[in-house]
Amino acid sequence: NEENKKKTKILEKKHKKEFKQLRNKIKMKMGKINKLRKKVNKENRSETRKQIEEESNDLHTEHQVLENQERQAVRRINLEERSQFCQFAACVGQVVEEEVAVMGQIESIK
């Protein structure tokens, strides 16, 4: 049981780290886009507009990556918890089988 808890904690910790890194990347991109927009307001250049468009596309890609990583992390954690539950259910099943066998022996003695 402790081993299962450790596995789940490790998965959650890894997910949290990846999430923070991507979130920081996204924040930096958004800050860069805002700076470029302010620059466009001051000086109307096509280069700056092109940079804004490229950064916006990158930001969209980063959002998609974050979304995919979230899905994968949830799947990994869900899979781990499901395997833990299956192990528990298998153990309980064995105990129930033994109890039924003992009850059958008791009934045959009576």
PDB file of all heavy atoms in Angstrom, residues 45-52:
ATOM      1  N   ARG A  45       4.725  48.992 -37.595  1.00  0.00           N
ATOM      2  CA  ARG A  45       5.624  48.272 -38.498  1.00  0.00           C
ATOM      3  C   ARG A  45       5.043  46.907 -38.843  1.00  0.00           C
ATOM      4  O   ARG A  45       4.447  46.235 -38.007  1.00  0.00           O
ATOM      5  CB  ARG A  45       6.981  48.049 -37.847  1.00  0.00           C
ATOM      6  CG  ARG A  45       7.823  49.278 -37.716  1.00  0.00           C
ATOM      7  CD  ARG A  45       9.139  48.848 -37.148  1.00  0.00           C
ATOM      8  NE  ARG A  45      10.153  49.871 -37.272  1.00  0.00           N
ATOM      9  CZ  ARG A  45      11.336  49.769 -36.732  1.00  0.00           C
ATOM     10  NH1 ARG A  45      11.661  48.698 -36.042  1.00  0.00           N
ATOM     11  NH2 ARG A  45      12.220  50.728 -36.881  1.00  0.00           N
ATOM     12  N   SER A  46       5.298  46.491 -40.056  1.00  0.00           N
ATOM     13  CA  SER A  46       4.813  45.175 -40.473  1.00  0.00           C
ATOM     14  C   SER A  46       5.652  44.063 -39.841  1.00  0.00           C
ATOM     15  O   SER A  46       5.158  42.964 -39.595  1.00  0.00           O
ATOM     16  CB  SER A  46       4.830  45.055 -42.000  1.00  0.00           C
ATOM     17  OG  SER A  46       6.154  45.185 -42.491  1.00  0.00           O
ATOM     18  N   GLU A  47       6.929  44.352 -39.558  1.00  0.00           N
ATOM     19  CA  GLU A  47       7.805  43.355 -38.924  1.00  0.00           C
ATOM     20  C   GLU A  47       7.259  42.973 -37.548  1.00  0.00           C
ATOM     21  O   GLU A  47       7.217  41.796 -37.186  1.00  0.00           O
ATOM     22  CB  GLU A  47       9.218  43.923 -38.729  1.00  0.00           C
ATOM     23  CG  GLU A  47       9.948  44.278 -39.990  1.00  0.00           C
ATOM     24  CD  GLU A  47      11.233  45.049 -39.684  1.00  0.00           C
ATOM     25  OE1 GLU A  47      11.610  45.178 -38.500  1.00  0.00           O
ATOM     26  OE2 GLU A  47      11.849  45.521 -40.644  1.00  0.00           O
ATOM     27  N   THR A  48       6.858  43.981 -36.807  1.00  0.00           N
ATOM     28  CA  THR A  48       6.363  43.746 -35.460  1.00  0.00           C
ATOM     29  C   THR A  48       5.053  42.974 -35.503  1.00  0.00           C
ATOM     30  O   THR A  48       4.830  42.064 -34.701  1.00  0.00           O
ATOM     31  CB  THR A  48       6.164  45.082 -34.724  1.00  0.00           C
ATOM     32  OG1 THR A  48       7.336  45.886 -34.873  1.00  0.00           O
ATOM     33  CG2 THR A  48       5.913  44.859 -33.256  1.00  0.00           C
ATOM     34  N   ARG A  49       4.212  43.302 -36.454  1.00  0.00           N
ATOM     35  CA  ARG A  49       2.951  42.565 -36.603  1.00  0.00           C
ATOM     36  C   ARG A  49       3.207  41.106 -36.956  1.00  0.00           C
ATOM     37  O   ARG A  49       2.528  40.206 -36.458  1.00  0.00           O
ATOM     38  CB  ARG A  49       2.077  43.219 -37.664  1.00  0.00           C
ATOM     39  CG  ARG A  49       1.494  44.514 -37.193  1.00  0.00           C
ATOM     40  CD  ARG A  49       0.601  45.127 -38.204  1.00  0.00           C
ATOM     41  NE  ARG A  49       0.187  46.429 -37.727  1.00  0.00           N
ATOM     42  CZ  ARG A  49      -0.874  47.047 -38.134  1.00  0.00           C
ATOM     43  NH1 ARG A  49      -1.635  46.512 -39.054  1.00  0.00           N
ATOM     44  NH2 ARG A  49      -1.186  48.211 -37.636  1.00  0.00           N
ATOM     45  N   LYS A  50       4.215  40.889 -37.785  1.00  0.00           N
ATOM     46  CA  LYS A  50       4.573  39.513 -38.153  1.00  0.00           C
ATOM     47  C   LYS A  50       5.084  38.767 -36.917  1.00  0.00           C
ATOM     48  O   LYS A  50       4.748  37.602 -36.709  1.00  0.00           O
ATOM     49  CB  LYS A  50       5.632  39.533 -39.249  1.00  0.00           C
ATOM     50  CG  LYS A  50       5.939  38.181 -39.825  1.00  0.00           C
ATOM     51  CD  LYS A  50       6.903  38.279 -40.989  1.00  0.00           C
ATOM     52  CE  LYS A  50       7.202  36.893 -41.544  1.00  0.00           C
ATOM     53  NZ  LYS A  50       8.111  36.925 -42.675  1.00  0.00           N
ATOM     54  N   GLN A  51       5.880  39.457 -36.092  1.00  0.00           N
ATOM     55  CA  GLN A  51       6.375  38.840 -34.855  1.00  0.00           C
ATOM     56  C   GLN A  51       5.220  38.476 -33.925  1.00  0.00           C
ATOM     57  O   GLN A  51       5.211  37.410 -33.318  1.00  0.00           O
ATOM     58  CB  GLN A  51       7.322  39.792 -34.117  1.00  0.00           C
ATOM     59  CG  GLN A  51       8.726  39.814 -34.650  1.00  0.00           C
ATOM     60  CD  GLN A  51       9.604  40.755 -33.823  1.00  0.00           C
ATOM     61  OE1 GLN A  51       9.156  41.811 -33.396  1.00  0.00           O
ATOM     62  NE2 GLN A  51      10.845  40.330 -33.616  1.00  0.00           N
ATOM     63  N   ILE A  52       4.258  39.384 -33.836  1.00  0.00           N
ATOM     64  CA  ILE A  52       3.085  39.118 -32.984  1.00  0.00           C
ATOM     65  C   ILE A  52       2.350  37.874 -33.480  1.00  0.00           C
ATOM     66  O   ILE A  52       1.950  37.013 -32.692  1.00  0.00           O
ATOM     67  CB  ILE A  52       2.132  40.334 -32.946  1.00  0.00           C
ATOM     68  CG1 ILE A  52       2.770  41.472 -32.176  1.00  0.00           C
ATOM     69  CG2 ILE A  52       0.795  39.954 -32.330  1.00  0.00           C
ATOM     70  CD1 ILE A  52       1.984  42.762 -32.208  1.00  0.00           C
TER      71      ILE A  52
END
